[in-house]
Amino acid sequence: MMIKLKKVLTLRTIVATSAGLTLASSSFVAAIQMAGFLAGDSAWIAIMVGGMLCLGAGACFSELNGMLPSAAGIRLYFGRAFGDTVALAVSLLYMFVVMCVVGAESYVLGNILSEALPVVAPVVWILFMFVVVTLMNIRGIRLAGNFQDMVTYGLMVSLIVLAFVGFYHTGFRFTTPVAPGGIVPVINAVAVGVFLYVGFEWVTPLAEEVTESRLIARGMLVAVGLLSIIYSLITMAMTSAVPREAIAGSPVPLLVFARYVLGEAGVLWAVVICLASSITTFNAGLISVSRFFYASARENVLPRVFSKISMRYFTPWVAILGVLAVALIVSMLVLITGRYLVLLNTAAAMESIVYAMSGAAVLVLRKKSPGLPRPYIVAGGAAVPVLTIAVFFLLALSVMAFDPVTAVSILAGLGISFWYVMKVVPVLKEKNSARRPAARRRPAPVSESQPEAIPAGTDTGSKPEKV
Amino acid sequence: MATHQEITDSLKAFAEGYNSNKRLQTMNRDWNRVIQVLTTDIESAHTLELKDGELRFWEGAADKPDLTVLADSETLADMFYGDITPTEPYMNGTLKIMGSEDDIVRLDFISLLIWGE
């Protein structure tokens, strides 16, 4: 059925949303971390490989999204494919990981701002950012579509220009750009490099705002392609222009690079880039997770208190404050321990698990629901989904193998999540069913004497009535 | 399977609940939207219009709605009577809503404020 809507999104906005959610200040940290596995300036190889693998996952998401266009996203796809318990447990953990990414992002941005303005400590910047974003969320303020497009495309152009400034600075000289130093370093780099693309599929909730679901597929694929090129250029520029020891392990590599090639003007440029990168990720992360909290509370999967709504702004204020609290705690823990890389690795591993599951969901649903309309089908039969499952499963294992803390976090997270879904959720559901009115409001149907259905659009002789 | 008339009655109950809530009307006075309600299993279409805080509805489809609510007749009748929350059918894919995410959330808020948990 073709449904017309007053407002529909264009490909330009879909690409901007997908890329904008992915580009973050912490992405530059991950880029340098992945470059650390490889020899010379060959990080672009791992970035391109990571991008191509994400295109496979993107194709799987496109098939799922075409079949089930809904803001519920993985909760719905995995629910249909693997059952509600698995879908809920994975979604809950995934949302928790997103909150951790928001925490890590605030830590990185706090450090960048503090580097530019040393009189203000990172903790002050972090608190300031959280308060601003929370107030924006509670008041229901969103970036206007056109403004967001402008910010994202401006950011992409700015990164490309900055990369070429770096290349010019080094006289376009690169160290072993095509010799990464072996297959194992490449695998490790790609595993971490998945973080660079975290969130490109968060654009699928927009499926309900387009009338042509193939646009979402096209938008995701274009965004991943653009991101691969931009990340490759800026990472090569950073590794070729700045000595490795000056940039490795820094929470602010882009700023170090910009200062190295352009002095204090570069610092200002890097601050603007990082602010623009963070604003979309930060805001979208908080909005998505708080809406998920709210919907889960409405479904009696989380405590009822999270479904409370601000009567003034129509926003789920308790859910927003709950997300703020968790992200703030994560941020403070990172500030105290300085172990922000664990969060990036955990996010990369969790994202790989979700991508692998998306491949599996495509195959399961092709068998389980062959009749569902599929406006987009991954080409090549089962090859791409099978490859997506195998590759991302291996990448998740690879991240966990070189970072035991990540392995423990993911396994403990999955254990707690499944325990919560199997033990706590039934209690919450039972409590709620006891609270609901015993009698249904809908009158029982009068059997055998129901009036005939009135066909859609039939003039019933009545004017639009105000009830 | 619910009938077209049952869906009409459920929308009547929904609209009565809405229009008797002055606070809800005040909160939505700037939210002017046309919402189309379509069924997947019987031939039935309705249009809800929110204008200046007031809600009215009529039978038949809308020309260019802001939101389209699509589900089987049973789900729609139960949902507009407030016997089920929209969240559960939405999460399992039985209920589809086409429109902006903010509008979808607002519609759920309205249902919550009319019928409670």
Side-chain angles (χ1 to χ4, degrees), chain A residues 37 97 128 162 171 210 251 321 354 388 447 456:
Chain A
F37 287 107
V97 171
F128 174 74
L162 187 57
V210 296
L321 288 180
V354 168
T388 302
S447 57

Short mmCIF file of all heavy atoms in Angstrom, two decimals, chain A residues 37 97 128 162 171 210 251 321 354 388 447 456:
data_model
loop_
_atom_site.label_atom_id
_atom_site.label_comp_id
_atom_site.label_asym_id
_atom_site.label_seq_id
_atom_site.Cartn_x
_atom_site.Cartn_y
_atom_site.Cartn_z
N PHE A 37 48.14 -0.44 15.31
CA PHE A 37 48.37 -1.85 15.01
C PHE A 37 49.18 -2.03 13.73
O PHE A 37 49.73 -3.10 13.48
CB PHE A 37 47.03 -2.59 14.81
CG PHE A 37 46.27 -2.81 16.09
CD1 PHE A 37 45.14 -2.07 16.37
CD2 PHE A 37 46.67 -3.78 17.00
CE1 PHE A 37 44.42 -2.27 17.53
CE2 PHE A 37 45.96 -3.99 18.16
CZ PHE A 37 44.83 -3.23 18.44
N VAL A 97 25.47 0.06 26.20
CA VAL A 97 26.74 0.37 25.54
C VAL A 97 26.69 1.75 24.89
O VAL A 97 27.66 2.51 24.94
CB VAL A 97 27.10 -0.73 24.50
CG1 VAL A 97 28.30 -0.32 23.66
CG2 VAL A 97 27.41 -2.04 25.21
N PHE A 128 28.94 20.61 32.31
CA PHE A 128 28.27 21.65 31.53
C PHE A 128 27.55 21.04 30.32
O PHE A 128 26.37 21.33 30.07
CB PHE A 128 29.30 22.70 31.09
CG PHE A 128 28.75 23.75 30.17
CD1 PHE A 128 27.92 24.75 30.66
CD2 PHE A 128 29.06 23.75 28.82
CE1 PHE A 128 27.40 25.72 29.81
CE2 PHE A 128 28.55 24.71 27.97
CZ PHE A 128 27.72 25.70 28.46
N LEU A 162 41.23 19.74 6.13
CA LEU A 162 42.26 19.63 7.17
C LEU A 162 43.25 18.50 6.83
O LEU A 162 44.46 18.63 7.05
CB LEU A 162 41.60 19.38 8.53
CG LEU A 162 42.51 19.40 9.75
CD1 LEU A 162 43.27 20.72 9.89
CD2 LEU A 162 41.71 19.16 11.04
N GLY A 171 54.51 17.44 2.69
CA GLY A 171 54.96 17.35 1.29
C GLY A 171 54.43 16.09 0.62
O GLY A 171 55.09 15.55 -0.28
N VAL A 210 9.89 8.15 5.68
CA VAL A 210 10.09 8.14 4.23
C VAL A 210 9.00 7.28 3.61
O VAL A 210 8.45 6.39 4.26
CB VAL A 210 11.47 7.56 3.83
CG1 VAL A 210 12.60 8.42 4.34
CG2 VAL A 210 11.64 6.14 4.31
N PRO A 251 43.95 11.34 24.22
CA PRO A 251 42.48 11.40 24.04
C PRO A 251 42.08 12.50 23.07
O PRO A 251 40.91 12.63 22.74
CB PRO A 251 41.96 11.67 25.46
CG PRO A 251 43.08 12.33 26.17
CD PRO A 251 44.36 11.87 25.53
N LEU A 321 16.49 11.82 32.58
CA LEU A 321 17.37 11.97 33.74
C LEU A 321 18.08 10.65 34.07
O LEU A 321 19.23 10.65 34.50
CB LEU A 321 16.56 12.45 34.96
CG LEU A 321 16.09 13.91 34.90
CD1 LEU A 321 15.31 14.27 36.17
CD2 LEU A 321 17.26 14.88 34.73
N VAL A 354 26.05 -7.16 17.14
CA VAL A 354 24.76 -6.75 16.57
C VAL A 354 24.77 -6.91 15.04
O VAL A 354 23.79 -7.38 14.45
CB VAL A 354 24.42 -5.30 16.99
CG1 VAL A 354 23.25 -4.75 16.19
CG2 VAL A 354 24.09 -5.25 18.47
N THR A 388 28.68 -11.69 6.60
CA THR A 388 28.51 -10.70 7.68
C THR A 388 28.55 -11.40 9.04
O THR A 388 29.21 -10.93 9.98
CB THR A 388 27.17 -9.94 7.50
OG1 THR A 388 27.18 -9.32 6.23
CG2 THR A 388 26.96 -8.90 8.58
N SER A 447 -22.64 -10.92 18.82
CA SER A 447 -22.41 -11.94 17.79
C SER A 447 -23.60 -12.05 16.83
O SER A 447 -24.74 -11.79 17.19
CB SER A 447 -22.15 -13.29 18.45
OG SER A 447 -23.24 -13.60 19.27
N ALA A 456 -13.94 2.12 3.06
CA ALA A 456 -13.16 3.33 3.28
C ALA A 456 -13.57 4.39 2.28
O ALA A 456 -13.78 4.11 1.12
CB ALA A 456 -11.68 3.02 3.11
#
